[in-house]
Amino acid sequence: APQMAAAEYAVYNNAMTQTDAKAKAAALEQYLTQFPQSAVKETVLETVMALYSTFDAAKTLDAADRLLQVNPSSVKALYAEALIRKTQADAITDATAKQAALDTAASYAQKGLAAPKPACVSDADFATLKSTEYPSFYSVIGYDAFLKKDSVTAIDAYKKEIAMVPPDATKTPGTVLQDIYFLGGAYM
């Protein structure tokens, strides 16, 4: 574990022991302001991003952007970027702007799929991370390709997504079932 001066540890520990998500996020942001070169900056940004994801998409995206500055291969940050940007793109009515926004979301998904396993993460934990996040990366890529009428890419992405999810996910309403519908459209 990284060594911290007593003054830094006191601020860090106070932030980490907050129980309310908003208070904890605010305290961790204050910690990052006070100790911008912290040895635990990446971990703190991951925590901040996870906290924001429960109540503020814009702040989640901002934390993900900052995390990617520290670690451009952060699968968790790339996951947040891909999903939030896809959601934002869905709300855009102008077709050209929508496609550009989806292209951006898909580029984060591609980077997420290409990100190497971090040295500090066990093979088992990385396998778990892949099983939870890769299907969403493939979903974002598939949707982007589907709307561009790039059937080959859409079919490939959707097939990879469906192969990674539990079979029950293909039978209940949700993203996977919707993507199976899009897969059918891509085949047509």
Side-chain angles (χ1 to χ4, degrees):
Q3 295 297 310
M4 271 187 215
E8 179 180 350
Y9 181 75
V11 176
Y12 174 79
N13 191 53
N14 174 58
M16 290 302 281
T17 54
Q18 297 292 318
T19 52
D20 176 75
K22 290 180 181 176
K24 188 171 186 172
L28 286 169
E29 290 285 18
Q30 183 57 47
Y31 168 78
L32 289 171
T33 301
Q34 249 180 293
F35 303 97
Q37 301 308 316
S38 167
V40 294
K41 184 174 188 173
E42 183 175 350
T43 305
V44 170
L45 282 167
E46 276 186 7
T47 304
V48 167
M49 186 178 71
L51 290 165
Y52 283 144
S53 74
T54 64
F55 65 90
D56 190 323
K59 286 185 177 181
T60 305
L61 208 51
D62 174 67
D65 288 340
R66 291 182 286 148
L67 180 52
L68 289 171
Q69 289 170 359
V70 176
N71 176 4
S73 299
S74 168
V75 175
K76 291 177 182 176
L78 293 164
Y79 178 77
E81 294 275 0
L83 290 187
I84 293 170
R85 290 179 185 279
K86 178 190 180 288
T87 301
Q88 291 174 339
D90 278 340
I92 299 171
T93 52
D94 176 74
T96 307
K98 181 186 201 96
Q99 193 63 61
L102 282 169
D103 287 348
T104 300
S107 76
Y108 282 105
Q110 294 282 8
K111 289 175 193 162
L113 291 170
K117 180 181 92 60
C120 60
V121 175
S122 73
D123 288 346
D125 287 348
F126 194 63
T128 301
L129 184 74
K130 285 167 64 170
S131 71
T132 56
E133 299 183 356
Y134 279 31
S136 295
F137 288 144
Y138 286 123
S139 175
V140 171
I141 293 164
Y143 186 60
D144 177 56
F146 177 75
L147 291 184
K148 286 195 283 200
K149 308 214 181 325
D150 175 358
S151 297
V152 173
T153 302
I155 290 166
D156 179 63
Y158 285 138
K159 283 172 68 177
K160 287 176 178 169
E161 172 195 2
I162 293 161
M164 292 187 84
V165 299
D168 284 352
T170 65
K171 301 173 188 155
T172 52
T175 302
V176 177
L177 203 54
Q178 180 182 336
D179 288 350
I180 291 171
Y181 174 78
F182 289 138
L183 174 61
Y187 274 120
M188 285 177 54

